[in-house]
Amino acid sequence: MKLILFALLICLNIQAADNPLALDKQKLGKTPTGFQIIHVGPGKPGTAKVIKADVPNQSTGALEPQRVIEITGGDPNTKHYTLLLLEKPKQKDFVYSTRFKIIKGTGVRAAGIIFRMQPNKKDYYLLAVKPDTKEAFWTVFKNNLPIKGFRYDDDQFTSPKDGWQSIKLSCEKNKLEWTLNHRRDFIKYDPSKVPDYREGIAGFWVRSDSQVQFASSQIHSLKEERQLLLIALLRKISRENNRVLSLQLAA
């Protein structure tokens, strides 16, 4: 049993691509390479650096030292946004996950992820959170202006006690699905009514002068995500079923 699973895991790991948001090779205290910082609105772009921080384990709550990206917005003005963009590759159908915590800020304390940003870097989708007002929202931007979207109110949004928000987003054509703090939602937009961005740049978004730490960030294609889920399943079977003599997978 162990040998069969070990062979399958090796095969799957060879096929899986690297995570472009991985931080293990980034230099501590420096702006992460492979990213670009831009801003919208008044002021100057904020800053971004890779640091080590104690992040609670999602299962046990125990603090674990991890590398995170810490972004600090460049201006307290409510119309200022700092964006840290992954320079390549462009994402089409993919899964994007991250955890983040707003540490401080004197302006509007809000943060989230942007995706499918167009080459002009003015048109994109945003999935973000304002914990202080218990709001979360999906927004379509065109020419850096919000033109469409919806938001959760305080009856729908629950912020975790430790302050670490979690997002897992899946994009396939015009269907967007996400889990925000373990609440599952989706939208299938009408391309005739909403700007239809099917491919583009992904990154992080911070409002005003919020200081935000992003941890455990990953981007994978849908195929890679299925492989990772299968790997996790095989490992779980291996841990919990020592007496199983054979395993057959069918698809």
Side-chain angles (χ1 to χ4, degrees):
M1 170 64 178
K2 298 289 186 183
L3 291 176
I4 294 172
L5 291 178
F6 182 70
L8 286 168
L9 290 171
I10 290 176
C11 179
L12 289 169
N13 276 316
I14 290 173
Q15 296 176 33
D18 290 336
N19 168 29
L21 297 178
L23 301 178
D24 54 311
K25 296 181 181 179
Q26 299 284 0
K27 292 183 178 180
L28 290 173
K30 303 292 185 180
T31 301
T33 59
F35 292 82
Q36 178 188 12
I37 301 178
I38 66 172
H39 81 289
V40 177
K44 297 180 180 180
T47 61
K49 60 183 178 180
V50 178
I51 66 169
K52 275 193 175 181
D54 290 331
V55 181
N57 182 287
Q58 290 197 78
S59 300
T60 66
L63 294 178
E64 300 174 344
Q66 290 187 26
R67 289 189 174 211
V68 304
I69 294 179
E70 185 174 85
I71 303 174
T72 304
D75 196 289
N77 191 293
T78 60
K79 295 184 179 179
H80 173 93
Y81 311 102
T82 292
L83 288 72
L84 181 67
L85 307 176
L86 185 63
E87 291 181 339
K88 58 183 181 180
K90 292 181 180 179
Q91 311 298 328
K92 191 175 182 180
D93 294 342
F94 63 98
V95 176
Y96 182 178
S97 62
T98 190
R99 300 175 68 198
F100 62 93
K101 182 176 183 178
I102 300 175
I103 307 300
K104 61 182 180 179
T106 61
V108 178
R109 293 156 59 97
I113 60 175
I114 63 101
F115 55 102
R116 290 183 169 177
M117 174 179 271
Q118 302 305 289
N120 64 7
K121 297 180 181 175
K122 297 180 179 181
D123 305 339
Y124 53 92
Y125 299 139
L126 168 71
L127 187 57
V129 171
K130 282 201 291 184
D132 292 346
T133 55
K134 298 182 179 179
E135 292 178 282
F137 41 91
W138 172 74
T139 310
V140 181
F141 280 80
K142 190 168 182 62
N143 293 322
N144 281 325
L145 295 174
I147 61 169
K148 196 80 174 179
F150 73 89
R151 72 179 180 88
Y152 306 160
D153 56 26
D154 57 1
D155 294 328
Q156 298 170 299
F157 174 73
T158 301
S159 185
K161 293 180 180 179
D162 60 17
W164 281 92
Q165 317 291 330
S166 61
I167 290 178
K168 186 169 185 178
L169 166 74
S170 174
C171 300
E172 186 170 12
K173 298 180 181 178
N174 66 324
K175 184 178 181 182
L176 312 177
E177 296 181 307
W178 62 85
T179 301
L180 173 58
N181 297 335
H182 311 295
R183 174 192 168 101
R184 188 174 299 278
D185 283 290
F186 77 95
I187 183 170
K188 191 171 183 179
Y189 61 82
D190 184 347
S192 67
K193 297 180 180 179
V194 175
D196 190 19
Y197 311 143
R198 299 290 178 103
E199 181 181 38
I201 301 167
F204 305 102
W205 177 93
V206 168
R207 188 170 180 179
S208 297
D209 61 346
S210 300
Q211 185 181 78
V212 188
Q213 293 177 354
F214 292 87
S216 307
S217 304
Q218 298 185 55
I219 289 182
H220 298 290
S221 69
L222 296 182
K223 179 181 178 181
E224 291 164 355
E225 178 66 14
R226 294 183 186 112
Q227 290 176 344
L228 290 171
L229 291 174
L230 180 56
I231 289 171
L233 174 62
L234 291 172
R235 285 176 175 158
K236 184 174 185 293
I237 293 172
S238 179
R239 287 195 308 268
E240 299 178 359
N241 298 274
N242 291 326
R243 294 181 180 275
V244 175
L245 298 179
S246 66
L247 175 69
Q248 182 177 12
L249 300 179

